[in-house]
Amino acid sequence: MENAIQPLIQVQSVVKQYTRDTQVLTVLDGLSLSIDAGDFVALMGPSGSGKTTLLNLIAGIDRPTSGRVLVGPDEVSAMSEGALAKWRSRNIGFIFQLYNLVPVLTAYENVELPLLLTNLSKAARRKQVELALSVVNLTDRTDHYPRQLSGGQEQRVAIARAIATDPKLLVADEPTGDLDARSGEEILILLERLNDEFKKTILIVTHDPKAAACAHRLVHLDKGVLKEDVRGAGKTVGIAAAATVSAGK
Amino acid sequence: MRFLPLVLKNVFRKKTRSILTIGSILLPLFVICIMGTLLATLDSDPSGGKGMFRLTVRHSISITNWLPEAYLPKLRQMPGVKEVTIMNWFGGKYVDSSAKNFFARFAIDPESFLRVFDEATVVEGSAADWMGDRSGLLVGKVLMTKYGWRLGQQITLMGDIYPGNYTFTIRAVFKGADESGVYFDRRVHEEALPRVKGYVGMYWIKTDSVAAVERLPKQIDAMFENSPFPTKTETEKEFQNSWVSMLGNVKLLITSIATIIVLVILLIAANTMAMSARERVTEIAVLRTLGFGKPTILGLVLGESVLLSLFGGLLGLGLFVLSFPGFRAWMLNSPMGAFATGMRIFPGILALGFFITVLVGLLSGLVPAIRSAGRSIPDGLRQVG
């Protein structure tokens, strides 16, 4: 009998509602989803479909109105604010569309930021930072400030920052959305490598069929419910992604 | 400590704004130190504690009314009195009547004067030379320095209240509580103007204990209550404060101005911190996604505002310390010289300046810090710019 792969992420009947003035807006409507450890999942769907909200809930930066979110053994949706902050620092790496590096810090210092929350010594932090920067092939840019880097380089620094603490889950919100085609491709190759070589579970929100084609699974959301869940590497997902995008248009 | 480089870099993120804010803290704090020093000087005891054993006796109506010299033996006989001396305000002018040439001129009894004002030390010439020469002049060190006088030099004081010119020879220079005046034998005055003989402007009493200081004013005033020359007896401190009060409620005025200055600094610093935090809503949200908890964010923003305030505050205190000798010299050479003799750098004022600096830092950063830490992460990430 084959060993079943344990799901890393379990989203169980999650409802997320926002109240704007007197109006209650349901963004996720009883969504359930399970993502295996080591998977590379693309979340797609039209604007307002709840992709980023789902990403935020899984990453522990937002809370569901009802339902449960579990990442590994931890019930993220039941944690206190303080516990969540600690949990995020150990378990989640964030990659943003606009990189969101701290402009007054060098590439090195940006990557070191999440490590400041650990008990690592300065020497140990240096080792981690250098390792992360070498993974993204930016060891020659350690003293550069974000304004001295290209968009692609900035995003690579952001990825180095995301992996500096060696988290099990990387979440990326439109990681190629602000990049030209070539830089976007480099970032996708890097994400694939992090998934293949470093066994990181990756969850990306994207509108880019190329980015989605890198994933092993495509989850299509619409109006807060799961519309489509396509498994299969490369081409299968790519075709589904392209179909999703054109349907969105 | 590991967050200090981050806080430091954030302080100087917008260099021009930070420098302007530091300047807006530096200069008011310098002014606060000056004002605080003036207040502390008014409250200080330049006699080094010896003034607390002294009492003044003057006419109950006004300091310009005379008391009879006949009170002298009566005062000397009172229990608790160690010594009594006489001081008459001469007034007059030196060179001209301008404010820059104003200083205290007193006709006194040399024999008892240095026993009552026993903190005064003769540093040039000698007390014996001064007492041995009826036209001798005892001059405060500050005044000697101001005019560049030398021992043996002749000084002419022109009378205004009392007519005539009086020429004195500098015989002794003293250092003590008030070094901005001149003192000469009252007999010179009496001989030139016999009508003042037998009258006294003010008695100064040296007591033997604090208990005597508390007891004697009532006893003295009661003794002369029904005479044609009723008295008002005060401690040295009360007497000094009565002079200060003639300028109006100076303390309240200075304290009010200083308080307004502190509030203005607070508003400027708070504005800077509010702008700084507002510009970094997304950045703070990103830090929180990385695992920076609310207390850490609170600490970072507060640390930034305190550090910014400290830069301004410490520079202000440094400027004050560096410029103090010049300021003191200027004050001593001004008509306020008598008040400025006890002026020094009071550690309490420096501590107050430091406290204000930290307080401004904490208060100005508090609201932006709470807002930054309290904002939801998704809201922060959605904010653009």
Side-chain angles (χ1 to χ4, degrees):
Chain A
M1 194 176 145
E2 271 185 9
N3 278 342
I5 299 170
Q6 286 298 310
L8 177 68
I9 301 165
Q10 293 177 71
V11 178
Q12 299 172 351
S13 310
V14 161
V15 174
K16 178 66 186 176
Q17 293 176 323
Y18 292 104
T19 307
R20 294 276 181 266
D21 299 322
T22 52
Q23 252 192 329
V24 177
L25 188 69
T26 302
V27 180
L28 293 176
D29 195 3
L31 188 99
S32 292
L33 184 70
S34 177
I35 297 172
D36 294 336
D39 211 345
F40 189 151
V41 179
L43 287 176
M44 294 192 85
S47 294
S49 59
K51 311 180 292 291
T52 299
T53 302
L54 178 61
L55 193 82
N56 289 345
L57 292 175
I58 291 169
I61 60 174
D62 206 352
R63 290 171 185 283
T65 308
S66 66
R68 299 200 322 156
V69 178
L70 290 104
V71 177
D74 306 312
E75 187 177 344
V76 179
S77 49
M79 284 184 188
S80 69
E81 188 106 20
L84 260 181
K86 275 187 190 158
W87 177 83
R88 282 195 302 272
S89 71
R90 291 180 193 139
N91 297 291
I92 306 288
F94 281 88
I95 302 159
F96 304 93
Q97 180 180 355
L98 297 173
Y99 337 125
N100 287 336
L101 299 177
V102 179
V104 289
L105 300 182
T106 61
Y108 179 95
E109 290 164 336
N110 266 291
V111 178
E112 193 190 22
L113 265 181
L115 295 169
L116 294 177
L117 299 167
T118 66
N119 293 325
L120 293 176
S121 66
K122 198 172 180 181
R125 292 202 304 270
R126 172 167 287 278
K127 207 173 158 187
Q128 288 282 96
V129 173
E130 284 169 354
L131 180 66
L133 283 169
S134 71
V135 169
V136 299
N137 199 22
L138 272 179
T139 44
D140 57 340
R141 294 282 191 275
T142 53
D143 295 329
H144 285 59
Y145 286 91
R147 65 176 181 277
Q148 298 166 321
L149 300 171
S150 69
Q153 286 170 332
E154 277 197 76
Q155 192 60 298
R156 276 149 67 194
V157 174
I159 291 172
R161 180 178 67 185
I163 61 173
T165 54
D166 195 23
K168 49 189 164 194
L169 176 62
L170 292 180
V171 294
D173 196 352
E174 300 274 9
T176 57
D178 203 50
L179 297 173
D180 57 58
R182 190 172 168 184
S183 300
E185 215 163 283
E186 283 173 11
I187 295 302
L188 292 174
I189 291 167
L190 186 55
L191 290 176
E192 280 183 311
R193 189 176 157 222
L194 289 171
N195 180 245
D196 292 342
E197 202 175 312
F198 295 93
K199 306 299 174 203
K200 300 291 176 199
T201 306
I202 298 178
L203 185 59
I204 64 168
V205 165
T206 186
H207 286 107
D208 179 4
K210 280 186 189 165
C214 297
H216 307 154
R217 182 177 168 194
L218 173 73
V219 174
H220 180 201
L221 298 183
D222 194 14
K223 293 175 184 165
V225 294
L226 189 72
K227 186 106 181 210
E228 196 177 14
D229 190 349
V230 182
R231 290 166 194 266
K235 209 172 177 183
T236 320
V237 169
I239 293 164
T244 298
V245 170
S246 55
K249 284 175 185 171
Chain B
M1 280 307 281
R2 57 175 57 191
F3 295 115
L4 189 62
L6 175 64
V7 174
L8 266 173
K9 287 201 167 185
N10 277 330
V11 167
F12 291 103
R13 177 181 285 247
K14 303 255 173 167
K15 284 193 180 64
T16 308
R17 186 170 68 197
S18 298
I19 289 167
L20 288 174
T21 307
I22 285 170
S24 67
I25 296 170
L26 182 161
L27 292 174
L29 208 80
F30 171 76
V31 174
I32 284 172
C33 285
I34 295 280
M35 289 177 152
T37 300
L38 289 175
L39 275 182
T41 303
L42 292 176
D43 280 336
S44 72
D45 177 10
S47 70
K50 295 195 171 177
M52 67 189 284
F53 293 102
R54 280 195 289 261
L55 295 171
T56 67
V57 183
R58 57 186 166 109
H59 197 289
S60 64
I61 293 173
S62 157
I63 200 159
T64 58
N65 290 50
W66 293 99
L67 291 174
E69 195 177 341
Y71 284 3
L72 182 62
K74 290 179 181 170
L75 291 171
R76 279 192 168 138
Q77 282 169 7
M78 294 186 83
V81 173
K82 270 175 80 177
E83 183 56 278
V84 184
T85 194
I86 289 166
M87 279 178 81
N88 293 336
W89 175 255
F90 173 73
K93 56 189 177 186
Y94 173 69
V95 182
D96 56 34
S97 52
S98 65
K100 69 172 183 176
N101 285 320
F102 174 82
F103 52 84
R105 297 136 194 154
F106 282 103
I108 57 157
D109 174 39
E111 282 288 331
S112 54
F113 179 79
L114 290 174
R115 286 199 292 274
V116 171
F117 294 93
D118 50 354
E119 74 276 13
T121 315
V122 174
V123 291
E124 286 177 56
S126 73
D129 288 350
W130 171 52
M131 288 179 207
D133 178 359
R134 192 170 282 195
S135 64
L137 199 63
L138 175 69
V139 182
K141 178 73 180 166
V142 167
L143 210 57
M144 284 293 279
T145 310
K146 176 181 173 181
Y147 286 105
W149 291 336
R150 60 191 188 283
L151 213 58
Q153 185 173 337
Q154 291 202 320
I155 302 298
T156 299
L157 301 179
M158 293 166 277
D160 47 14
I161 308 169
Y162 311 107
N165 289 345
Y166 300 78
T167 300
F168 300 98
T169 308
I170 299 172
R171 294 295 181 200
V173 178
F174 76 96
K175 281 183 81 104
D178 178 5
E179 299 172 16
S180 63
V182 296
Y183 303 87
F184 57 88
D185 195 324
R186 72 188 178 105
R187 285 175 296 181
V188 175
H189 193 203
E190 288 171 354
E191 282 162 9
L193 284 169
R195 67 179 167 91
V196 301
K197 192 169 172 61
Y199 289 100
V200 170
M202 208 174 4
Y203 290 102
W204 281 83
I205 298 172
K206 177 84 176 179
T207 65
D208 61 6
S209 64
V210 173
V213 168
E214 288 174 4
R215 171 175 44 84
L216 280 168
K218 277 183 189 165
Q219 287 183 348
I220 293 168
D221 292 345
M223 186 161 66
F224 302 118
E225 192 178 6
N226 296 316
S227 78
F229 302 97
T231 57
K232 181 174 183 180
T233 307
E234 296 170 302
T235 62
E236 183 172 294
K237 191 83 218 160
E238 287 166 343
F239 178 70
Q240 287 167 346
N241 287 343
S242 70
W243 281 98
V244 173
S245 69
M246 285 181 193
L247 300 170
N249 199 338
V250 176
K251 289 180 185 173
L252 179 66
L253 181 71
I254 293 179
T255 309
S256 305
I257 294 171
T259 307
I260 290 167
I261 291 173
V262 171
L263 288 174
V264 171
I265 309 175
L266 185 63
L267 291 175
I268 293 169
N271 184 46
T272 302
M273 283 314 299
M275 279 198 286
S276 178
R278 210 166 36 238
E279 287 162 2
R280 285 165 25 217
V281 168
T282 305
E283 193 176 302
I284 288 167
V286 169
L287 290 179
R288 290 188 59 203
T289 61
L290 298 180
F292 284 67
K294 283 186 178 180
T296 312
I297 296 293
L298 204 70
L300 287 175
V301 179
L302 274 181
E304 196 181 316
S305 61
V306 169
L307 213 59
L308 184 72
S309 187
L310 276 178
F311 274 117
L314 293 178
L315 283 173
L317 292 178
L319 181 67
F320 167 71
V321 170
L322 286 175
S323 62
F324 181 77
F327 175 66
R328 184 174 187 272
W330 177 78
M331 281 293 289
L332 285 170
N333 289 325
S334 75
M336 295 281 286
F339 289 112
T341 309
M343 186 181 274
R344 58 189 169 86
I345 294 177
F346 296 95
I349 296 300
L350 295 181
L352 178 70
F354 185 76
F355 172 74
I356 288 173
T357 301
V358 175
L359 189 72
V360 164
L362 284 173
L363 291 180
S364 64
L366 196 62
V367 173
I370 291 171
R371 280 190 178 169
S372 299
R375 194 185 297 267
S376 89
I377 302 175
D379 281 351
L381 290 175
R382 267 195 291 271
Q383 193 106 5
V384 177

